[in-house]
Amino acid sequence: MTPAVSVGGRGRIALRIGLIYLTARVVTTAFLFLAAELATSGTRLGEGAGIGDAVTAWDSQWYWYLSEAGYPSELPRTDSGEIAENAWAFMPLFAYLAKVVGLPFGSWAAGAFIVSIAAGYAASLVLYHLLRLRLDATTSTWAVVFFAFGPLAALFQVGYAESLNLLWLFLALWCVMRRRYGWLYLLIPLMAFTRPGVLAFALFLALFGLWRWFRRTREPLAAREILHIVALGLLAAASGFAWQLLAAAVTGEPGAYLATELAWRRNWISGEAAFAPLEGFVTGAEFWFGTMWQLPPVLGYVTLAVLVLGAAAALLFVPAVKKLGMEVRLWSASYLVYLLLVFFPQSSLFRLLVPLSPLWGAFAVPKSPVWRGGVLTLCVIGQWWWVYNMYALGNAAWQVP
């Protein structure tokens, strides 16, 4: 466990993380500015775009739209009668919070920027304290450096809900690691109405409960803790399905939410009509290897199997990952299983992997300056690659954030 930290010590930590985060945001700002300058008329930003256009690009437009127009009571449909893309795919908390914060500035974009960048700093600070429960101060700081400068760090400055969701997630994981379950009754609904994915947290709590049960002789497991874990798992599961039920109630269509999500999948594969667990990744492996890259589809299945087995092996056996603690490993496994069950692999997969950010701690464990400097260099290079492709170009199927 982390040793007790004085108020002055907590202040110094907050300042140190703040300086790291501010430096990282300067780098990201430069990247976004350059990407906007490089954007042409054939790109999503368009010619003559500014950095403000990057803040409100892509899904940010959907968050802005739902903050102004709300959710449709009648689902829009395509010419062929299928349910079209609509606001039900996006949770409300970030959109409306950005609207409230932006009121003094007369701009939703300003509110979205403030919420994202502030939540990103808070998430960085919580991530430090979360990792500090298992790692030393220097290693935890380096993990935050990788997080703040990471390939997807531009999300801390655009109108996406990721920063806010990471804050709730890191706080929830910290609470579980400290066995402070009370706050989870608030954090779980906040996660559920910020971004999809709280069902992964329900699975995590189930696995965590089993782990606590089997090791109860080493760490006593009181009846009260059992009740908390079970109740919170049920709350996470109920919260995960609540949005689907709400969409069905408002629109009068039982499958409104799933049909809305599948509307985006039709941009990749036509004729998609139903959802089945695992189907997205299996179909995606065939699509990318067979249709897009003109390779034998069996290579896609083999690659998928290798990636799944490799991820499992890393979480089970890699010493640097094991140092992070069972809670982080169980969360990572749960979230990967969730993605495997529900997601269709495409360019947004990079963004959807961001909730695995506590694993940056494993990259920070090796104490070699060469290693840490190399990881940081790759983070910055990866960040530019992502910003350049998604914002400067953004004109191909694999250039959607």
Side-chain angles (χ1 to χ4, degrees), residues 189-358:
L190 287 174
M191 283 192 286
F193 289 94
T194 300
R195 270 201 51 76
V198 76
L199 288 175
F201 202 80
L203 175 59
F204 160 67
L205 288 172
L207 296 177
F208 172 74
L210 290 173
W211 175 69
R212 286 288 290 114
W213 174 261
F214 285 113
R215 73 187 306 268
R216 65 190 184 280
T217 56
R218 284 177 287 175
E219 182 184 351
L221 181 62
R224 182 176 180 178
E225 185 176 356
I226 295 174
L227 290 175
H228 274 307
I229 294 171
V230 172
L232 289 166
L234 292 174
L235 175 62
S239 299
F241 288 107
W243 192 248
Q244 298 183 40
L245 296 175
L246 183 60
V250 172
T251 63
E253 300 197 35
Y257 175 72
L258 283 177
T260 296
E261 290 287 2
L262 291 174
W264 266 267
R265 191 176 297 186
R266 284 197 302 271
N267 292 331
W268 302 86
I269 297 179
S270 60
E272 187 71 34
F275 165 80
L278 290 175
E279 181 270 340
F281 262 91
V282 172
T283 303
E286 180 179 348
F287 169 77
W288 285 103
F289 281 81
T291 304
M292 294 296 291
W293 299 333
Q294 298 297 303
L295 296 171
V298 68
L299 289 178
Y301 306 139
V302 172
T303 300
L304 177 60
V306 169
L307 289 174
V308 170
L309 292 175
L315 293 175
L316 286 170
F317 304 118
V318 173
V321 177
K322 293 170 71 174
K323 284 181 177 291
L324 303 179
M326 184 58 74
E327 295 89 348
V328 169
R329 294 160 67 197
L330 288 176
W331 159 250
S332 301
S334 300
Y335 187 70
L336 287 172
V337 168
Y338 167 79
L339 287 184
L340 190 64
L341 289 174
V342 306
F343 190 62
F344 175 83
Q346 32 93 351
S347 58
S348 295
L349 180 62
F350 297 111
R351 176 169 56 86
L352 267 67
L353 290 175
V354 169
L356 297 174
S357 291

Side-chain angles (χ1 to χ4, degrees), residues 1-262:
M1 291 294 182
T2 306
V5 181
S6 66
V7 174
R10 289 194 293 270
R12 287 190 292 273
I13 291 169
L15 178 60
R16 180 168 74 247
I17 299 303
L19 291 174
I20 292 169
Y21 186 74
L22 178 61
T23 304
R25 302 288 62 78
V26 170
V27 172
T28 300
T29 299
F31 285 168
L32 289 172
F33 178 81
L34 182 56
E37 288 290 311
L38 294 173
T40 64
S41 58
T43 66
R44 184 62 174 250
L45 291 188
E47 190 173 4
I51 194 169
D53 297 297
V55 174
T56 56
W58 297 107
D59 283 356
S60 302
Q61 288 287 304
W62 278 107
Y63 285 113
W64 166 79
Y65 177 77
L66 77 87
S67 75
E68 295 295 324
Y71 294 92
S73 57
E74 182 176 346
L75 294 175
R77 296 186 179 273
T78 65
D79 293 338
S80 60
E82 297 170 307
I83 292 175
E85 299 171 353
N86 66 85
W88 281 107
F90 301 90
M91 305 305 170
L93 187 55
F94 173 79
Y96 289 116
L97 181 59
K99 182 175 184 178
V100 171
V101 173
L103 285 177
F105 308 95
S107 167
W108 181 90
F113 173 78
I114 292 170
V115 171
S116 286
I117 203 165
Y121 166 66
S124 299
L125 188 58
V126 176
L127 179 62
Y128 171 86
H129 287 290
L130 184 157
L131 294 174
R132 188 68 181 90
L133 296 173
R134 299 290 183 268
L135 305 174
D136 61 67
T138 301
T139 303
S140 300
T141 300
W142 271 103
V144 173
V145 170
F146 300 152
F147 174 67
F149 283 90
L152 278 293
L155 292 171
F156 298 137
Q157 296 180 220
V158 297
Y160 274 65
E162 266 71 13
S163 289
L164 192 60
N165 190 63
L166 288 174
L167 174 59
W168 309 142
L169 172 63
F170 294 167
L171 284 169
L173 290 174
W174 183 87
C175 287
V176 173
M177 294 173 75
R178 293 299 303 270
R179 312 296 188 251
R180 297 183 179 179
Y181 300 108
W183 284 105
L184 291 172
Y185 291 96
L186 172 63
L187 290 168
I188 285 173
L190 287 174
M191 283 192 286
F193 289 94
T194 300
R195 270 201 51 76
V198 76
L199 288 175
F201 202 80
L203 175 59
F204 160 67
L205 288 172
L207 296 177
F208 172 74
L210 290 173
W211 175 69
R212 286 288 290 114
W213 174 261
F214 285 113
R215 73 187 306 268
R216 65 190 184 280
T217 56
R218 284 177 287 175
E219 182 184 351
L221 181 62
R224 182 176 180 178
E225 185 176 356
I226 295 174
L227 290 175
H228 274 307
I229 294 171
V230 172
L232 289 166
L234 292 174
L235 175 62
S239 299
F241 288 107
W243 192 248
Q244 298 183 40
L245 296 175
L246 183 60
V250 172
T251 63
E253 300 197 35
Y257 175 72
L258 283 177
T260 296
E261 290 287 2
L262 291 174

